[in-house]
Amino acid sequence: MRVPIRLRLISAGLMTAVLVALAVFLITSLEADLIATVDSGLRSRASVLLDRIGEGGGVSSSGLTEGDEAFAQLLTSDGSIVASSRELTDPILSPDEVSGVASVDFLDRTVNTGEEPVEGRLLVTRTGDGDVLVVGASLEDQRDAITGLASLLLIGIPAAVALASIVGWFVAGAALRPVERMRQEADAISASEPGRRLPMPATGDELSRLAASLNRMLGRLQEAMEQERRFVADASHELRTPLANLRAEVDLALRRARTADELGAALRSVREETERLGRLAEDLLVLARLSEDGLHLRREPTDVGRLVAETADSFAGRAEGLGVELITEVDGDLMVLVDGVRLRQALGNLLDNALRSTPRGGRVTASARAMPDGPTLEVTDTGPGFPEEFIAQAGEGFRRPDLARERTSGGAGLGLAIVRAIVDAHGGALQIENTAEGGARVAISLPSGS
């Protein structure tokens, strides 16, 4: 059964159990103290009477009478009365009980007096000549005290529980009021108002810290939502451009009769735009897989020096067509456990970006060097370098060094984002900076155990 938190905070049942246990303890303690006081008085009286009997003077019935609440009786070994308080007419103990007395015993017994039976406490002991002395006291006052306390507790406990429950209800309500305000505000927060935050209680306690943590979480969710919106908007824009070019080429080819050369040129343009769409779709797929469940790697021993050299060779023809010198610098013995396909993809993206940004007559260098912590793969160029404000954003989707550049030229801005994803999946580090000569340098540091 689900119980509201306010009722759980009040916990009337627990309070009742605690108070009842406390009441039982108080009554038991009081009863024990009262009996101990009575027993102490009985010992004193018995001691006085035993001293008197021991002196040889004996005791009379009048000497055993000590007020309305106390009584005494002296019995022979066979149970006959030697002396007794005036209110006692019959022997308190039976002959069997008298014969069974060995030392000092305490008994609780109802004693028949001249008026009515009385609940009494008895001290039974033998005298020096073998008789039995019985000293008793009425327990009526003690019983009345215990009954009075029990009556007060019987009335006070329910009243205290009821009062504490009422006070606890309002106190719990006041304590939970900030939680209710936070709940209402949380219900009001939606995708259309992601900037709203939960109210911060000015209590400085756990609720305040909870509100701060939830607000930080909402901030992270808002940032992730904005990034996703930007990503979708940029992806839509990137897809729209090649699709528009494709449609324009097809419409132009269908507008009038074309020669074979014109149709061939149109088809080559369509192929270029199709390839661009394919690359963009593949890049988006990589980033989508990364955001869903991480980038899965197929690690195997790979000579990353050879991988760098082969990747650079695949760009040699393009570099020659752009008039850019492509240099490869590779150290030997660079075997590590990596996903060669993904790492080649990352190097290809870096080389593609470097060739795009390097002017004719410039130089692009791909290198692989052995370092103490693991191999480092670098791609440097002699282009204009990265703007300082871009370096902090490098690795995010659809981020270009030159924001003013037309989207129809260059890539979609996903290259560095994919590189960072691949490097992170390998447990490596990506460093993006400008060189002293003015070009750009991108370095991938792989751990030796990767």
PDB file of all heavy atoms in Angstrom, residues 39 42-43 46 93 97-108 121-126 132-136:
ATOM      1  N   ASP A  39       8.787  -2.930  51.123  1.00  0.00           N
ATOM      2  CA  ASP A  39       9.662  -3.978  51.641  1.00  0.00           C
ATOM      3  C   ASP A  39      10.656  -3.413  52.651  1.00  0.00           C
ATOM      4  O   ASP A  39      10.975  -4.051  53.675  1.00  0.00           O
ATOM      5  CB  ASP A  39      10.418  -4.638  50.493  1.00  0.00           C
ATOM      6  CG  ASP A  39       9.495  -5.504  49.624  1.00  0.00           C
ATOM      7  OD1 ASP A  39       8.354  -5.736  50.043  1.00  0.00           O
ATOM      8  OD2 ASP A  39       9.929  -5.917  48.532  1.00  0.00           O
ATOM      9  N   LEU A  42       8.833  -2.978  55.848  1.00  0.00           N
ATOM     10  CA  LEU A  42       8.555  -4.256  56.510  1.00  0.00           C
ATOM     11  C   LEU A  42       9.808  -4.795  57.183  1.00  0.00           C
ATOM     12  O   LEU A  42       9.731  -5.367  58.293  1.00  0.00           O
ATOM     13  CB  LEU A  42       8.026  -5.260  55.477  1.00  0.00           C
ATOM     14  CG  LEU A  42       6.641  -4.959  54.885  1.00  0.00           C
ATOM     15  CD1 LEU A  42       6.280  -5.973  53.805  1.00  0.00           C
ATOM     16  CD2 LEU A  42       5.584  -4.947  55.988  1.00  0.00           C
ATOM     17  N   ARG A  43      10.956  -4.660  56.559  1.00  0.00           N
ATOM     18  CA  ARG A  43      12.199  -5.135  57.196  1.00  0.00           C
ATOM     19  C   ARG A  43      12.466  -4.381  58.497  1.00  0.00           C
ATOM     20  O   ARG A  43      12.901  -4.970  59.503  1.00  0.00           O
ATOM     21  CB  ARG A  43      13.364  -4.948  56.232  1.00  0.00           C
ATOM     22  CG  ARG A  43      13.410  -5.959  55.086  1.00  0.00           C
ATOM     23  CD  ARG A  43      14.765  -5.899  54.389  1.00  0.00           C
ATOM     24  NE  ARG A  43      14.834  -6.834  53.269  1.00  0.00           N
ATOM     25  CZ  ARG A  43      14.555  -6.535  52.013  1.00  0.00           C
ATOM     26  NH1 ARG A  43      14.172  -5.286  51.709  1.00  0.00           N
ATOM     27  NH2 ARG A  43      14.631  -7.444  51.068  1.00  0.00           N
ATOM     28  N   ALA A  46       9.992  -5.617  61.122  1.00  0.00           N
ATOM     29  CA  ALA A  46      10.332  -6.989  61.540  1.00  0.00           C
ATOM     30  C   ALA A  46      11.569  -6.992  62.414  1.00  0.00           C
ATOM     31  O   ALA A  46      11.654  -7.748  63.413  1.00  0.00           O
ATOM     32  CB  ALA A  46      10.543  -7.868  60.307  1.00  0.00           C
ATOM     33  N   LEU A  93      -1.170 -17.358  57.696  1.00  0.00           N
ATOM     34  CA  LEU A  93      -0.559 -18.483  57.002  1.00  0.00           C
ATOM     35  C   LEU A  93      -1.192 -19.778  57.455  1.00  0.00           C
ATOM     36  O   LEU A  93      -1.590 -19.923  58.618  1.00  0.00           O
ATOM     37  CB  LEU A  93       0.946 -18.525  57.270  1.00  0.00           C
ATOM     38  CG  LEU A  93       1.763 -17.300  56.885  1.00  0.00           C
ATOM     39  CD1 LEU A  93       3.231 -17.530  57.233  1.00  0.00           C
ATOM     40  CD2 LEU A  93       1.621 -16.988  55.401  1.00  0.00           C
ATOM     41  N   GLU A  97       2.158 -23.715  55.278  1.00  0.00           N
ATOM     42  CA  GLU A  97       3.001 -22.567  54.903  1.00  0.00           C
ATOM     43  C   GLU A  97       3.938 -22.213  56.051  1.00  0.00           C
ATOM     44  O   GLU A  97       5.092 -21.841  55.846  1.00  0.00           O
ATOM     45  CB  GLU A  97       2.131 -21.372  54.542  1.00  0.00           C
ATOM     46  CG  GLU A  97       1.380 -21.543  53.220  1.00  0.00           C
ATOM     47  CD  GLU A  97       0.440 -20.395  52.935  1.00  0.00           C
ATOM     48  OE1 GLU A  97      -0.128 -19.836  53.914  1.00  0.00           O
ATOM     49  OE2 GLU A  97       0.254 -20.063  51.767  1.00  0.00           O
ATOM     50  N   VAL A  98       3.433 -22.345  57.307  1.00  0.00           N
ATOM     51  CA  VAL A  98       4.274 -22.045  58.471  1.00  0.00           C
ATOM     52  C   VAL A  98       5.427 -23.026  58.536  1.00  0.00           C
ATOM     53  O   VAL A  98       6.584 -22.648  58.783  1.00  0.00           O
ATOM     54  CB  VAL A  98       3.439 -22.089  59.763  1.00  0.00           C
ATOM     55  CG1 VAL A  98       4.351 -22.018  60.989  1.00  0.00           C
ATOM     56  CG2 VAL A  98       2.433 -20.955  59.788  1.00  0.00           C
ATOM     57  N   SER A  99       5.152 -24.280  58.325  1.00  0.00           N
ATOM     58  CA  SER A  99       6.219 -25.285  58.398  1.00  0.00           C
ATOM     59  C   SER A  99       7.228 -25.113  57.267  1.00  0.00           C
ATOM     60  O   SER A  99       8.373 -25.557  57.371  1.00  0.00           O
ATOM     61  CB  SER A  99       5.608 -26.690  58.344  1.00  0.00           C
ATOM     62  OG  SER A  99       4.922 -26.889  57.113  1.00  0.00           O
ATOM     63  N   GLY A 100       6.805 -24.485  56.183  1.00  0.00           N
ATOM     64  CA  GLY A 100       7.720 -24.314  55.048  1.00  0.00           C
ATOM     65  C   GLY A 100       8.577 -23.082  55.138  1.00  0.00           C
ATOM     66  O   GLY A 100       9.428 -22.859  54.265  1.00  0.00           O
ATOM     67  N   VAL A 101       8.415 -22.234  56.151  1.00  0.00           N
ATOM     68  CA  VAL A 101       9.224 -21.011  56.267  1.00  0.00           C
ATOM     69  C   VAL A 101      10.617 -21.377  56.715  1.00  0.00           C
ATOM     70  O   VAL A 101      10.789 -22.027  57.757  1.00  0.00           O
ATOM     71  CB  VAL A 101       8.567 -20.030  57.251  1.00  0.00           C
ATOM     72  CG1 VAL A 101       9.482 -18.827  57.467  1.00  0.00           C
ATOM     73  CG2 VAL A 101       7.196 -19.610  56.753  1.00  0.00           C
ATOM     74  N   ALA A 102      11.612 -20.968  55.951  1.00  0.00           N
ATOM     75  CA  ALA A 102      13.006 -21.273  56.296  1.00  0.00           C
ATOM     76  C   ALA A 102      13.791 -20.014  56.606  1.00  0.00           C
ATOM     77  O   ALA A 102      14.646 -20.002  57.488  1.00  0.00           O
ATOM     78  CB  ALA A 102      13.681 -22.038  55.153  1.00  0.00           C
ATOM     79  N   SER A 103      13.525 -18.952  55.880  1.00  0.00           N
ATOM     80  CA  SER A 103      14.244 -17.691  56.095  1.00  0.00           C
ATOM     81  C   SER A 103      13.272 -16.549  55.844  1.00  0.00           C
ATOM     82  O   SER A 103      12.062 -16.729  56.002  1.00  0.00           O
ATOM     83  CB  SER A 103      15.456 -17.617  55.153  1.00  0.00           C
ATOM     84  OG  SER A 103      15.042 -17.694  53.801  1.00  0.00           O
ATOM     85  N   VAL A 104      13.797 -15.453  55.460  1.00  0.00           N
ATOM     86  CA  VAL A 104      12.939 -14.291  55.188  1.00  0.00           C
ATOM     87  C   VAL A 104      12.317 -14.440  53.808  1.00  0.00           C
ATOM     88  O   VAL A 104      13.023 -14.612  52.806  1.00  0.00           O
ATOM     89  CB  VAL A 104      13.745 -12.983  55.271  1.00  0.00           C
ATOM     90  CG1 VAL A 104      12.842 -11.797  54.953  1.00  0.00           C
ATOM     91  CG2 VAL A 104      14.355 -12.842  56.664  1.00  0.00           C
ATOM     92  N   ASP A 105      10.982 -14.392  53.742  1.00  0.00           N
ATOM     93  CA  ASP A 105      10.251 -14.471  52.475  1.00  0.00           C
ATOM     94  C   ASP A 105       9.292 -13.303  52.371  1.00  0.00           C
ATOM     95  O   ASP A 105       8.752 -12.825  53.388  1.00  0.00           O
ATOM     96  CB  ASP A 105       9.466 -15.781  52.380  1.00  0.00           C
ATOM     97  CG  ASP A 105      10.377 -17.001  52.282  1.00  0.00           C
ATOM     98  OD1 ASP A 105      11.462 -16.860  51.661  1.00  0.00           O
ATOM     99  OD2 ASP A 105      10.016 -18.063  52.812  1.00  0.00           O
ATOM    100  N   PHE A 106       9.070 -12.868  51.124  1.00  0.00           N
ATOM    101  CA  PHE A 106       8.071 -11.829  50.858  1.00  0.00           C
ATOM    102  C   PHE A 106       6.936 -12.455  50.079  1.00  0.00           C
ATOM    103  O   PHE A 106       7.155 -13.211  49.113  1.00  0.00           O
ATOM    104  CB  PHE A 106       8.669 -10.676  50.054  1.00  0.00           C
ATOM    105  CG  PHE A 106       9.572  -9.781  50.857  1.00  0.00           C
ATOM    106  CD1 PHE A 106      10.946  -9.956  50.845  1.00  0.00           C
ATOM    107  CD2 PHE A 106       9.040  -8.765  51.649  1.00  0.00           C
ATOM    108  CE1 PHE A 106      11.781  -9.139  51.582  1.00  0.00           C
ATOM    109  CE2 PHE A 106       9.876  -7.947  52.393  1.00  0.00           C
ATOM    110  CZ  PHE A 106      11.250  -8.131  52.365  1.00  0.00           C
ATOM    111  N   LEU A 107       5.711 -12.158  50.471  1.00  0.00           N
ATOM    112  CA  LEU A 107       4.529 -12.703  49.823  1.00  0.00           C
ATOM    113  C   LEU A 107       3.540 -11.589  49.532  1.00  0.00           C
ATOM    114  O   LEU A 107       3.431 -10.614  50.305  1.00  0.00           O
ATOM    115  CB  LEU A 107       3.854 -13.749  50.711  1.00  0.00           C
ATOM    116  CG  LEU A 107       4.698 -14.954  51.162  1.00  0.00           C
ATOM    117  CD1 LEU A 107       3.885 -15.802  52.144  1.00  0.00           C
ATOM    118  CD2 LEU A 107       5.123 -15.772  49.965  1.00  0.00           C
ATOM    119  N   ASP A 108       2.799 -11.738  48.446  1.00  0.00           N
ATOM    120  CA  ASP A 108       1.659 -10.861  48.153  1.00  0.00           C
ATOM    121  C   ASP A 108       0.397 -11.669  48.396  1.00  0.00           C
ATOM    122  O   ASP A 108       0.210 -12.750  47.798  1.00  0.00           O
ATOM    123  CB  ASP A 108       1.699 -10.377  46.697  1.00  0.00           C
ATOM    124  CG  ASP A 108       2.816  -9.386  46.452  1.00  0.00           C
ATOM    125  OD1 ASP A 108       3.146  -8.637  47.390  1.00  0.00           O
ATOM    126  OD2 ASP A 108       3.360  -9.345  45.322  1.00  0.00           O
ATOM    127  N   ARG A 121       1.183  -6.842  51.446  1.00  0.00           N
ATOM    128  CA  ARG A 121       2.543  -7.325  51.206  1.00  0.00           C
ATOM    129  C   ARG A 121       3.040  -7.867  52.530  1.00  0.00           C
ATOM    130  O   ARG A 121       3.026  -7.174  53.556  1.00  0.00           O
ATOM    131  CB  ARG A 121       3.425  -6.174  50.718  1.00  0.00           C
ATOM    132  CG  ARG A 121       4.876  -6.530  50.476  1.00  0.00           C
ATOM    133  CD  ARG A 121       5.058  -7.268  49.176  1.00  0.00           C
ATOM    134  NE  ARG A 121       6.475  -7.360  48.817  1.00  0.00           N
ATOM    135  CZ  ARG A 121       6.943  -8.107  47.836  1.00  0.00           C
ATOM    136  NH1 ARG A 121       6.084  -8.807  47.083  1.00  0.00           N
ATOM    137  NH2 ARG A 121       8.216  -8.144  47.565  1.00  0.00           N
ATOM    138  N   LEU A 122       3.518  -9.123  52.550  1.00  0.00           N
ATOM    139  CA  LEU A 122       3.906  -9.790  53.793  1.00  0.00           C
ATOM    140  C   LEU A 122       5.391 -10.089  53.809  1.00  0.00           C
ATOM    141  O   LEU A 122       5.974 -10.449  52.775  1.00  0.00           O
ATOM    142  CB  LEU A 122       3.137 -11.108  53.942  1.00  0.00           C
ATOM    143  CG  LEU A 122       1.609 -11.069  53.866  1.00  0.00           C
ATOM    144  CD1 LEU A 122       1.038 -12.461  54.039  1.00  0.00           C
ATOM    145  CD2 LEU A 122       1.050 -10.109  54.904  1.00  0.00           C
ATOM    146  N   LEU A 123       6.000  -9.934  55.006  1.00  0.00           N
ATOM    147  CA  LEU A 123       7.355 -10.403  55.262  1.00  0.00           C
ATOM    148  C   LEU A 123       7.240 -11.516  56.283  1.00  0.00           C
ATOM    149  O   LEU A 123       6.714 -11.302  57.393  1.00  0.00           O
ATOM    150  CB  LEU A 123       8.248  -9.281  55.758  1.00  0.00           C
ATOM    151  CG  LEU A 123       9.723  -9.637  56.005  1.00  0.00           C
ATOM    152  CD1 LEU A 123      10.607  -8.411  55.795  1.00  0.00           C
ATOM    153  CD2 LEU A 123       9.962 -10.197  57.403  1.00  0.00           C
ATOM    154  N   VAL A 124       7.729 -12.701  55.985  1.00  0.00           N
ATOM    155  CA  VAL A 124       7.615 -13.867  56.855  1.00  0.00           C
ATOM    156  C   VAL A 124       9.020 -14.303  57.267  1.00  0.00           C
ATOM    157  O   VAL A 124       9.891 -14.494  56.395  1.00  0.00           O
ATOM    158  CB  VAL A 124       6.895 -15.026  56.137  1.00  0.00           C
ATOM    159  CG1 VAL A 124       6.754 -16.218  57.078  1.00  0.00           C
ATOM    160  CG2 VAL A 124       5.534 -14.568  55.636  1.00  0.00           C
ATOM    161  N   THR A 125       9.237 -14.462  58.583  1.00  0.00           N
ATOM    162  CA  THR A 125      10.540 -14.892  59.069  1.00  0.00           C
ATOM    163  C   THR A 125      10.378 -15.654  60.375  1.00  0.00           C
ATOM    164  O   THR A 125       9.372 -15.511  61.074  1.00  0.00           O
ATOM    165  CB  THR A 125      11.470 -13.690  59.276  1.00  0.00           C
ATOM    166  OG1 THR A 125      12.768 -14.154  59.647  1.00  0.00           O
ATOM    167  CG2 THR A 125      10.946 -12.765  60.363  1.00  0.00           C
ATOM    168  N   ARG A 126      11.349 -16.490  60.739  1.00  0.00           N
ATOM    169  CA  ARG A 126      11.312 -17.244  61.988  1.00  0.00           C
ATOM    170  C   ARG A 126      12.016 -16.470  63.091  1.00  0.00           C
ATOM    171  O   ARG A 126      13.013 -15.783  62.862  1.00  0.00           O
ATOM    172  CB  ARG A 126      11.970 -18.604  61.799  1.00  0.00           C
ATOM    173  CG  ARG A 126      11.087 -19.580  61.017  1.00  0.00           C
ATOM    174  CD  ARG A 126      11.563 -20.999  61.185  1.00  0.00           C
ATOM    175  NE  ARG A 126      10.696 -21.919  60.466  1.00  0.00           N
ATOM    176  CZ  ARG A 126       9.588 -22.450  60.939  1.00  0.00           C
ATOM    177  NH1 ARG A 126       9.218 -22.133  62.196  1.00  0.00           N
ATOM    178  NH2 ARG A 126       8.855 -23.278  60.227  1.00  0.00           N
ATOM    179  N   VAL A 132       6.964 -18.148  64.053  1.00  0.00           N
ATOM    180  CA  VAL A 132       6.975 -17.446  62.760  1.00  0.00           C
ATOM    181  C   VAL A 132       6.358 -16.076  62.950  1.00  0.00           C
ATOM    182  O   VAL A 132       5.225 -15.958  63.453  1.00  0.00           O
ATOM    183  CB  VAL A 132       6.205 -18.237  61.681  1.00  0.00           C
ATOM    184  CG1 VAL A 132       6.111 -17.418  60.414  1.00  0.00           C
ATOM    185  CG2 VAL A 132       6.904 -19.556  61.401  1.00  0.00           C
ATOM    186  N   LEU A 133       7.124 -15.035  62.558  1.00  0.00           N
ATOM    187  CA  LEU A 133       6.642 -13.654  62.616  1.00  0.00           C
ATOM    188  C   LEU A 133       6.207 -13.228  61.225  1.00  0.00           C
ATOM    189  O   LEU A 133       6.973 -13.339  60.263  1.00  0.00           O
ATOM    190  CB  LEU A 133       7.731 -12.727  63.149  1.00  0.00           C
ATOM    191  CG  LEU A 133       7.372 -11.243  63.184  1.00  0.00           C
ATOM    192  CD1 LEU A 133       6.223 -10.989  64.191  1.00  0.00           C
ATOM    193  CD2 LEU A 133       8.602 -10.394  63.566  1.00  0.00           C
ATOM    194  N   VAL A 134       4.986 -12.745  61.137  1.00  0.00           N
ATOM    195  CA  VAL A 134       4.452 -12.236  59.861  1.00  0.00           C
ATOM    196  C   VAL A 134       4.197 -10.748  60.036  1.00  0.00           C
ATOM    197  O   VAL A 134       3.417 -10.345  60.921  1.00  0.00           O
ATOM    198  CB  VAL A 134       3.154 -12.958  59.467  1.00  0.00           C
ATOM    199  CG1 VAL A 134       2.644 -12.395  58.138  1.00  0.00           C
ATOM    200  CG2 VAL A 134       3.378 -14.453  59.384  1.00  0.00           C
ATOM    201  N   VAL A 135       4.871  -9.926  59.237  1.00  0.00           N
ATOM    202  CA  VAL A 135       4.690  -8.472  59.249  1.00  0.00           C
ATOM    203  C   VAL A 135       4.115  -8.082  57.897  1.00  0.00           C
ATOM    204  O   VAL A 135       4.638  -8.498  56.843  1.00  0.00           O
ATOM    205  CB  VAL A 135       6.013  -7.741  59.509  1.00  0.00           C
ATOM    206  CG1 VAL A 135       5.785  -6.232  59.525  1.00  0.00           C
ATOM    207  CG2 VAL A 135       6.625  -8.211  60.818  1.00  0.00           C
ATOM    208  N   GLY A 136       3.037  -7.320  57.880  1.00  0.00           N
ATOM    209  CA  GLY A 136       2.398  -6.968  56.616  1.00  0.00           C
ATOM    210  C   GLY A 136       2.027  -5.510  56.544  1.00  0.00           C
ATOM    211  O   GLY A 136       1.979  -4.797  57.540  1.00  0.00           O
TER     212      GLY A 136
END
